[in-house]
Amino acid sequence: MNTIQRIWLTRRRLRSSVESSSSYLRRHLSGGGGGVVKEDEGDWFYSREWWEEGGGHTVSQSSSTKGNGIVSVVSHPASLPSRESWAETERWLENRYMEETMGGRDGDKKFKILGYQWRSLRFNDDTRQSTVKVMAAAASTASQPFSIFYMQQPHCLAVPYLKSMVSVGLTSLAASKYDMTSAAIGKNQMRILCVGHGGGSLPLFLATHILGAVVDIVEIDPVVISESVRSMGFPAFSVMTSTGGKRALPVPDVIDQVMWRGIHERLFLYESEAKDFILNNNQNNSYDLIFMDAYDGADIFPHSLWDSNSLFMKALSERLHHEHGTLVVNLHSGADISDLDRSTGKYVGKVGEAYKKGLMMENHHERNGLVFACEVPWLCNVSLVVSRGMSSVGRPRDRIKTSLMKTSLEVDKILRLPFSCLDYLKTGLAII
């Protein structure tokens, strides 16, 4: 995070402190629809445990050869889940182990929760690339010493911009008459591509909450991939070989099966440049949803990923589903997006126009679709959305926003995420 971003963040945090507190009280101390609201462990209220500069313990540190400088993982204690719930999780692990081994091999294996931490992936000790919550646990038998393993908490998105990307992406897809219910229960596949991996919380969250989600992940830096698995508890079985044709592990470890059975089979993590993956991948997948969150060690979003005249953009257009395909891009912005002619608001508009030209043109004519930007609460980020299934023709901005907010409530009802998509649709919105 650079100095300008820190200044803007401070101003936004002052502006939104009252909003943040009221949001926390509303979501956690009241029951919606007569029921108890399940606590969102990634609520921004808990960012005080890991966000501030300084402090923390460096878990690991490596040098990148892909422009990310020094890649480190820094840990901070997490207050949740409370110790009262640990025994239930231990029983869940033991039951899953018995199911996996059919009660035979090491049937007396015991699991013990050691604690929970926030773990942040950093580039050059300056850019906080991502933050996840990790559970540390030990497995042991009477005859064998215990072994420690880490499990990333798949229901926890710690950073608001990820919740914004999920919210605007799924809502836009649902508004394009995509069958969200069938994908949620695993009846139909939802093909997703994540460009940029970080700690992996976004693809893991999607695969956990949408049973039909099949997620390809593209990450250029092998050090980031290694740290996400080794230090941040991302499923090891998801990693593909350098040739991309098969998994690096022929079969998952038993403990990995205990933690991730039913989920890691639908995650495919590739070491590749985004443009190479899109241009050279022979699977020819058509993606329903593409998430773009690719910043380098200097905190820059490469122009090569939004050059409207590039071969990459042409290939991306071919891979995005032609009827309902939705692209969501995370952008940094220190300006109010309601004014796209000033400061970095102009940058957001420029990137949006590039994707509009690259993905919405057919035979030199603009096709039906909608491009809009949505502000992320509490942070200097914007979620840019390119939707091929929505239309802006004859629809003023307020009508589009009202329609999106209504659809977000339907998505909330179907997926029952730990946060409301509506909260991330009612922020500032600009049509591009």
Side-chain angles (χ1 to χ4, degrees), residues 61-64 68-72 122-125:
Q61 196 169 73
S62 304
S63 296
S64 167
N68 290 326
I70 302 300
V71 178
S72 58
R122 291 176 175 268
F123 295 160
N124 294 318
D125 291 327

Side-chain angles (χ1 to χ4, degrees), residues 193-196 218-220 272-281 287 290-294 301-320 327-329 351 354-355 357-359 388:
L193 172 65
C194 292
V195 178
V218 182
E219 170 57 52
I220 189 175
S272 173
E273 284 194 46
K275 63 180 181 179
D276 291 340
F277 181 84
I278 292 292
L279 289 168
N280 303 326
N281 192 297
Y287 292 107
I290 298 177
F291 292 97
M292 194 89 68
D293 182 22
F301 180 48
H303 180 255
S304 60
L305 296 182
W306 56 278
D307 181 354
S308 60
N309 299 313
S310 66
L311 291 175
F312 168 77
M313 187 69 79
K314 181 179 179 181
L316 186 68
S317 180
E318 292 173 354
R319 290 296 185 88
L320 189 64
L327 169 73
V328 184
V329 184
V351 176
Y355 280 114
K357 179 182 177 182
L359 303 179
R388 282 181 163 172

